[in-house]
Amino acid sequence: MRELRKVAAMVARALGFRAEGDLPAARAEIDEAYSTLLGPQSDLLRMLDPQSAARLIGNSKKVAALARLTAADAMLAGDADNQQTRKQLYDRARTLATEAVKLDPVDENAKAVIDELRGQ
C-alpha cells in the first residue's frame, strides 16, 4: 500500500523536525499524515473511540499505521508540556494497535506496534 509508505515517511519527517526542535513543522507533518492516511473522514475517525475507528477502517495495516501516527502525536503533546493529552494519545495508540491485531491476528507489523508502545 503506497499510502502507508507515504504516511510512514511523513511520520519519520515529523520526528526529524521534532528532533531539530521545529515543533510547528512537526505538527504540520503529523496533521498532513492523518489526512493522507484517513482521507476525508480523518476528523471523524479521530473523534471516535479507538475500537469504533478500527472497525470502520477495517484494515489492520491502516490501523497499525494510525497507532504509530497517534504515538508520534503523543510525543508532540509531551513536547508542548501537555502531559494529559500525551497520556490520552498513547493510550489511544496502544488500543489501536491491539485492535489492529484483532483485525488480523497474523499481522506481524501490528504486533510490532504493540511492542513499540509497551512502556509508553
Side-chain angles (χ1 to χ4, degrees):
M1 292 181 129
R2 197 171 135 230
E3 78 180 355
L4 295 179
R5 285 191 299 273
K6 183 175 181 180
V7 169
M10 295 171 90
V11 169
R13 272 194 306 276
L15 294 178
F17 289 135
R18 176 181 178 254
E20 294 169 3
D22 190 349
L23 299 183
R27 166 56 47 209
E29 199 70 26
I30 291 292
D31 290 342
E32 183 64 26
Y34 277 122
S35 293
T36 299
L37 180 64
L38 302 173
Q41 294 181 323
S42 176
D43 291 338
L44 170 67
L45 290 168
R46 290 171 64 190
M47 284 189 282
L48 290 174
D49 64 275
Q51 295 86 352
S52 297
R55 275 194 305 275
L56 283 174
I57 294 168
N59 176 299
S60 67
K61 291 182 184 354
K62 267 183 116 166
V63 175
L66 180 57
R68 279 194 174 107
L69 177 54
T70 302
D73 200 356
M75 291 178 203
L76 290 182
D79 292 341
D81 213 22
N82 191 337
Q83 298 309 313
Q84 182 179 357
T85 300
R86 177 187 173 280
K87 181 187 178 324
Q88 290 170 341
L89 288 168
Y90 270 126
D91 289 346
R92 181 176 181 81
R94 280 190 292 277
T95 303
L96 286 164
T98 300
E99 292 299 315
V101 172
K102 287 180 185 176
L103 285 169
D104 185 355
V106 297
D107 185 340
E108 293 301 321
N109 180 54
K111 291 177 186 177
V113 177
I114 290 175
D115 290 338
E116 290 167 18
L117 294 172
R118 199 166 274 125
Q120 294 297 327

